[in-house]
Amino acid sequence: MLDTPLSTTSTRDVRRLGINLNHWYVVAQSGEVQAKPVGVTLWHQAIVLYRDQSGEVHALEDRCPHRHVRLSEGNVVNGQLECIYHGWQFNAEGRCAAVPYLADNQKLPTCQIRTYPVREQDGFIWLFPGDATLQHTVPLMGLPEWDHLNYIGSFTTIECEAHYSYLIENLMDMHHGHLHQSYQAWAEAKLEDLEETGDRVVAHYQAQSYYTINKIWSVAQLFIPAMRQLHPEPLDVSYVYPHWASKLGDDFRIYCLLCPVHETHTRAYLIHFTSLNAFPRLHKLPEWFRRFIKDSFFGSAKGLLDGLVRQDVLMIEQEQQAYLANPQRKGYELNRALGSVQRLMQRQASGVE
């Protein structure tokens, strides 16, 4: 098999692609949005998130129409978003609701701030930045394991000074496990099958795993390679635009929820779930105790996730810098999954599914 240039699947440069705005993106973790407004950026759009008096999350353009300063610098007052500069207040519909120095003979300004559809689900804030009339026609991927009592969750945040395509390709290419020998529970991934449709690419790998969830001692194999006892496990990774999901055997699931900031900055949330299905006796215990176990071990894999992210981000940012230094120089790729991934990105950026 001859090696081929990585970015020749289309005349469009993958490293300069925009995003399809008509999808649900994750812009914050639920716990990040409390009493104070929070400013986020999703593909050049400055957005402010805040909670009203009932705790419901709202999303508005992060710009006061009076002097165009950031509303995220302000406060929430009686459920309204108040600008820090002059105290103008705006409601959840983006309309001006109060001006503290409004004269008796003056009317409230008729200015309108853009609002965004937003949902709080599975521990995260999901936002739809495109045509709001399409929000109910596009499924939100979600995390079914987040509240399931049989899964222990951990997550970390990825901040990467690179185009989102580099992160997705990194996640879909399981051959780069060579980089993570001290942080992952499998080795020797081989691509066996590939599925490509309008909104997703699914790569089926066969890997060699050395961690067994119901054998507590096997965690030592992460740190002592000489102890490793390999056994085959299916490893499936899926780019379900615009997010990513993976499954290793029956015990491990990982998601990466993307928030592309701009062409050279990507934020993402990496969430890892460990299954407890291998412990049938645990399932017979009272629900309150199972919830206690789930909550007590939440975040137990964060150290491993942080280690993986550090290694990946270093490589991805080097790829981005190499591209910026010489965008005409093409890499060479042997993993055919990445050609499928690039085609999907190009279709979605063009609005063609």
Side-chain angles (χ1 to χ4, degrees), residues 287-298:
E287 182 175 324
W288 68 265
F289 183 76
R290 294 172 65 195
R291 175 67 60 183
F292 171 77
I293 294 294
K294 179 181 177 71
D295 293 344
S296 297
F297 284 94
F298 180 83

Side-chain angles (χ1 to χ4, degrees), residues 28 31-40 47-52 57-63 70-77 79-84 88 90:
E32 295 177 290
V33 185
Q34 299 293 336
K36 289 282 293 182
V38 175
V40 298
I47 300 164
V48 57
L49 308 172
Y50 74 97
R51 294 187 186 273
D52 62 18
V57 176
H58 302 281
L60 303 176
E61 179 185 359
D62 194 4
R63 179 188 63 86
R70 291 191 294 271
L71 288 170
S72 57
E73 301 283 352
N75 297 286
V76 180
V77 178
Q80 314 278 14
L81 189 57
E82 182 183 79
C83 179
I84 195 172
W88 289 29
F90 300 88

Side-chain angles (χ1 to χ4, degrees), residues 308-342:
L308 288 166
V309 167
R310 282 193 299 271
Q311 293 178 334
D312 280 334
V313 167
L314 180 63
M315 296 295 100
I316 291 169
E317 291 182 347
Q318 287 185 25
E319 289 185 276
Q320 177 69 65
Q321 291 303 312
Y323 169 81
L324 294 175
N326 191 342
Q328 302 306 316
R329 179 180 292 169
K330 305 301 181 183
Y332 289 83
E333 182 55 58
L334 297 176
N335 188 342
R336 57 195 176 94
L338 299 199
S340 295
V341 165
Q342 290 190 352

Side-chain angles (χ1 to χ4, degrees), residues 2 8 44 55 71 80 95 110 120 137 147 162 166 177 220 263 274 291 317 319 328 337 339 353:
L2 295 175
T8 58
H44 300 280
L71 288 170
Q80 314 278 14
R95 292 191 290 270
T110 57
E120 185 170 13
T137 68
D147 287 318
Y166 288 113
E263 286 81 358
T274 300
R291 175 67 60 183
E317 291 182 347
E319 289 185 276
Q328 302 306 316
E353 299 187 22

Side-chain angles (χ1 to χ4, degrees), residues 277-289:
N277 289 320
F279 302 94
R281 293 182 180 179
L282 181 64
H283 308 159
K284 300 177 182 180
L285 297 175
E287 182 175 324
W288 68 265
F289 183 76

Side-chain angles (χ1 to χ4, degrees), residues 193-255:
D193 193 21
L194 189 62
E195 303 172 32
E196 180 180 347
T197 62
D199 68 345
R200 69 190 61 205
V201 172
V202 182
H204 301 282
Y205 291 86
Q206 183 69 36
Q208 295 293 321
S209 177
Y210 50 82
Y211 183 63
T212 306
I213 186 64
N214 60 347
K215 305 293 185 183
I216 302 301
W217 58 267
S218 72
V219 72
Q221 297 178 98
L222 278 171
F223 311 104
I224 309 175
M227 291 181 59
R228 293 176 181 175
Q229 301 177 16
L230 298 176
H231 62 276
E233 289 273 26
L235 173 59
D236 297 330
V237 293
S238 306
Y239 182 26
V240 184
Y241 192 93
H243 308 296
W244 175 87
S246 75
K247 179 181 178 183
L248 174 63
D250 295 324
D251 296 330
F252 303 102
R253 299 180 185 181
I254 307 180
Y255 297 84

